[in-house]
């Protein structure tokens, strides 16, 4: 039904995420990329399509492409969604700076200070320093986005990353 909805109306945004999730879970990454190309061709500011493409590229091991899609998505997504995607609360064993704000720990300071702390957090966890992207940071983005797709609880009004299953997935992975 999802494929038929997209075939009938390629702008059918409501079918994008469920169909993309289905393809991801079936390891049909090229189908995900084909699907997301349709949406980003018409609207390059579609953060969901960019995140879905990033997830597919990451699963294929094409990290440079995944990083590009994640960064483009972060640039166009609303502030509250970006903060949720970048949040390190679930994975930080001992927060590096208790006075940091925004995406790192939720206290109030300047956005530049929060960005500096967040960048330092990810630099410390970069497994391959010689690459132009941080594999652990991309894994985090992929986990948060997958959790938001897979574990959403619309009956209780919870985003996937807010549920217990989503939090466990983000912290420990598959």
């Amino acid at each position: 039904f999802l494929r038929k909805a997209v075939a009938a109306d390629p702008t059918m945004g409501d079918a994008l995420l469920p169909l993309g999730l289905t393809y991801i879970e079936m390891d049909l990454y090229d189908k995900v990329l084909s699907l997301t190309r349709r949406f980003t061709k018409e609207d390059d500011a579609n953060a969901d399509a960019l995140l879905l493409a990033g997830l597919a590229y990451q699963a294929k091991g094409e990290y440079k492409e995944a990083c590009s899609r994640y960064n483009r998505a972060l640039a166009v997504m609303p502030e509250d969604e970006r903060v949720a995607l970048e949040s390190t609360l679930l994975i930080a064993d001992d927060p590096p700076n208790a006075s940091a704000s925004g995406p790192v720990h939720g206290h109030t300071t300047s956005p530049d200070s929060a960005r500096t702390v967040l960048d330092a957090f990810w630099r410390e966890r970069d497994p391959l320093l010689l690459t132009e992207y941080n594999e652990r940071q991309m894994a985090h983005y992929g986990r948060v986005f997958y959790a938001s797709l897979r574990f959403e609880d619309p009956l209780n009004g919870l985003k996937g990353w807010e549920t217990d299953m989503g939090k466990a997935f983000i912290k420990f992975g598959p």
Side-chain angles (χ1 to χ4, degrees):
F1 290 112
L2 294 171
R3 281 194 306 255
K4 287 181 181 181
V6 171
D9 181 5
T11 63
M12 178 64 87
D14 293 340
L16 169 68
L17 295 178
L19 183 57
L21 175 63
T22 302
Y23 287 154
I24 290 285
E25 291 188 342
M26 296 173 65
D27 299 331
L28 299 173
Y29 308 120
D30 289 329
K31 285 190 177 275
V32 173
L33 295 174
S34 175
L35 177 66
T36 58
R37 270 187 218 104
R38 289 187 208 167
F39 285 88
T40 55
K41 186 184 294 182
E42 298 297 321
D43 178 13
D44 196 36
N46 187 325
D48 288 335
L50 291 166
L51 289 169
L52 199 54
L55 196 59
Y57 278 121
Q58 186 177 354
K60 289 177 68 167
E62 296 180 24
Y63 300 112
K64 188 173 183 176
E65 291 295 328
C67 183
S68 169
R69 296 319 184 279
Y70 286 142
N71 288 334
R72 285 173 44 202
L74 285 167
V76 299
M77 63 186 2
E79 177 72 13
D80 60 328
E81 291 179 24
R82 187 185 58 74
V83 167
L85 187 69
E86 290 186 318
S87 175
T88 60
L89 287 173
L90 294 173
I91 61 170
D93 293 330
D94 54 337
N97 182 350
S99 67
S101 75
V104 184
H105 304 292
H107 301 288
T108 306
T109 63
S110 74
D112 291 338
S113 174
R115 176 56 50 196
T116 301
V117 172
L118 186 61
D119 290 344
F121 177 87
W122 287 117
R123 248 190 328 277
E124 290 174 9
R125 287 157 179 78
D126 190 353
L128 301 172
L129 297 173
L130 297 177
T131 60
E132 57 194 71
Y133 43 83
N134 184 327
E135 295 80 5
R136 179 60 187 99
Q137 187 177 15
M138 284 193 306
H140 177 70
Y141 292 161
R143 287 178 185 182
V144 173
F145 184 63
Y146 180 84
S148 73
L149 294 175
R150 181 66 177 87
F151 302 114
E152 182 180 19
D153 183 358
L155 295 177
N156 292 314
L158 295 174
K159 307 254 187 217
W161 51 267
E162 295 174 316
T163 65
D164 290 340
M165 287 290 291
K167 290 176 183 178
F169 184 84
I170 292 166
K171 185 165 179 96
F172 303 110

